[in-house]
Amino acid sequence: MDGAGRLARSLRSLRPQADLKAAALGAVILLREWLGLRRVSARPSLEREPPHPAIALIERYLPNRAGVAATVLMLLASAGLGIVKGGHVEELTSA
């Protein structure tokens, strides 16, 4: 502050710059998280809890793409129901 009780510089001027080394380390950490690069430990973590038994059962016995097939089946069934309820069966069969 100068002698009149005002700030010596403009309020819009740049604040003191952050430490360059700390800023670079922060950028590296954010980039690593954004890219999904994590340090992998040599031994597995014991903090992970086992999945729910129902989820384990589903993952064990259903094929990998069963969810995609169920989604496509649901979309086709809803389109078919819309055609029947909307009264467009004749138009569809004539086309």
Side-chain angles (χ1 to χ4, degrees):
M1 296 179 79
D2 61 7
R6 296 180 301 224
L7 292 175
R9 60 185 168 89
S10 170
L11 291 176
R12 286 192 256 167
S13 68
L14 295 175
R15 305 278 187 251
Q17 298 296 320
D19 183 27
L20 187 59
K21 183 178 178 182
L25 286 174
V28 168
I29 290 170
L30 289 175
L31 182 64
R32 187 183 312 151
E33 288 177 0
W34 185 68
L35 292 175
L37 302 174
R38 305 238 188 245
R39 292 186 181 187
V40 178
S41 61
R43 53 190 140 151
S45 173
L46 297 176
E47 297 174 9
R48 231 172 105 181
E49 61 184 52
H52 191 271
I55 294 174
L57 186 72
I58 289 171
E59 287 179 349
R60 183 176 298 137
Y61 292 113
L62 280 180
N64 287 337
R65 303 290 182 204
V68 175
T71 302
V72 169
L73 182 65
M74 181 71 81
L75 289 173
L76 290 175
S78 64
L81 181 66
I83 290 170
V84 170
K85 289 288 189 177
H88 302 289
V89 178
E90 294 93 17
E91 295 173 12
L92 184 69
T93 55
S94 66

